[in-house]
């Protein structure tokens, strides 16, 4: 298991974190022919990238001595040099088999299951949008990736750019940075898990503050009743990270690490130099530990007014849907309405939003868009 996940494997739309409705079939955006990258599929474990515009193939990591690579990554980490490109990019890791939701996931990947009125992946995507990120790479299995492309398209309708990459087999969360190496380049980045939902007042500002840091990494701490199922961060009296553990039997703190992480431009190199764990995977805790040992790991704690929702089991998926429904029904505002967030963030203008509202089918979601377009937001 990995940090940010349980044992396997939000507010008005201006601050909500999660959600959305796919574009109706037949839009030109989703019908564009796929352009395979130069070189086709990469060696096992590296995946390959696809996007509506050109993108270079991801590079396989050269062989190396696994026993010393993590230490070498730490020693070479600079705590002073800012990234070359300050334009932060996002990655959504949406792979896995969703076995705890069997048999619901026999025909569809977990991150496409609905959480109340939207596909699950809309929720983490909205987090990145609220943070101000406009370029996003979606990583999934070769089988499921075409379904995400059909759902999300190129991103142009939202004023964004979506790219897609395959992860042929589970290889750990940090593997996302090997697969997405050429997409991220020297830019700072943010990684979020496709089944993590967040909601709460001020949450967008917390993530924006993390995104504004130019050096090091930022993770989050969330107090839970049973930390043994998660990656755990221990903090000192000043709130600075002291240690990181992966699903400890005797946790040193109650702070679990949710599945969202912000990194500077060094992360690609560090991920390439990580040694696989005993499970043969690149662990996100090991990646974060490199920053911890270098003194450049920042931790933001998420308080009691923030909800971090688990969607890994049938019961938790149901509870998450009920949570979203209760807030939307009470406030009259949609959580993670992608079109609304795109307008608020300035990704699209009012005319583009009105067109999206007109194109939306007759549904509660479509009627919500048309109401906003007619009466203002």
């Amino acid at each position: 298991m990995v940090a940010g996940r349980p044992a396997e494997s939000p507010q008005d739309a201006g601050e909500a974190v999660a959600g959305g409705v796919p574009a109706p079939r037949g839009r030109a955006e989703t019908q564009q022919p796929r352009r395979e990258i130069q070189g086709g599929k990469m060696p096992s474990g590296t995946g390959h990238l696809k996007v509506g515009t050109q993108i270079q193939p991801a590079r396989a990591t050269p062989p190396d001595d696994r026993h010393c690579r993590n230490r070498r990554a730490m020693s070479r980490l600079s705590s002073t040099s800012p990234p070359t490109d300050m334009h932060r990019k996002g990655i959504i890791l949406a792979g896995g088999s969703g076995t705890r939701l069997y048999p619901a996931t026999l025909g569809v990947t977990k991150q496409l299951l609905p959480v109340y009125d939207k596909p699950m992946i809309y929720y983490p995507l909205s987090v990145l949008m609220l943070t101000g990120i406009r370029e996003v790479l979606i990583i999934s299995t070769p089988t499921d990736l075409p379904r995400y492309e059909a759902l999300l398209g190129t991103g142009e309708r939202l004023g964004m750019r979506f790219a897609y990459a395959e992860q042929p087999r589970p290889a750990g969360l940090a593997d996302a940075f090997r697969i997405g190496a050429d997409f991220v380049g020297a830019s700072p980045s943010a990684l979020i898990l496709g089944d993590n939902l967040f909601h709460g007042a001020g949450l967008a500002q917390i993530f924006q503050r993390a995104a504004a840091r130019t050096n090091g990494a930022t993770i989050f701490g969330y107090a839970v009743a049973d930390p043994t199922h998660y990656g755990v961060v221990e903090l000192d009296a000043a709130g600075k990270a002291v240690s990181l553990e992966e699903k400890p039997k005797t946790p040193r703190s109650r702070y679990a690490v949710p599945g969202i992480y912000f990194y500077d431009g060094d992360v690609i190199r560090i991920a390439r130099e990580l040694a696989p764990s005993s499970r043969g995977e690149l662990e996100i805790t090991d990646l974060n530990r490199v920053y911890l040992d270098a003194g450049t790991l920042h931790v933001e704690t998420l308080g009691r007014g923030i909800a971090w929702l688990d969607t890994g089991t049938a019961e938790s998926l149901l509870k998450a849907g009920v949570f979203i429904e209760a807030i939307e029904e009470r406030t009259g505002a949609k959580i993670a309405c992608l079109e609304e967030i795109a307008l608020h963030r300035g990704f699209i203008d009012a005319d583009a939003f009105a067109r999206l509202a007109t194109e939306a089918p007759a549904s509660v979601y479509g009627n919500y868009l048309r109401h906003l377009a007619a009466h203002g937001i």
Side-chain angles (χ1 to χ4, degrees), residues 45 52 61 100 260:
T61 303
R100 291 188 298 160
I260 181 169

Side-chain angles (χ1 to χ4, degrees), residues 36-37 40-42 46-50 58 145 164-166 179:
E36 296 290 339
I37 59 165
K41 290 189 176 181
M42 303 306 295
T46 63
H48 71 279
L49 301 174
K50 292 190 292 184
L145 204 62
Y164 302 86
E166 295 179 357
I179 295 172

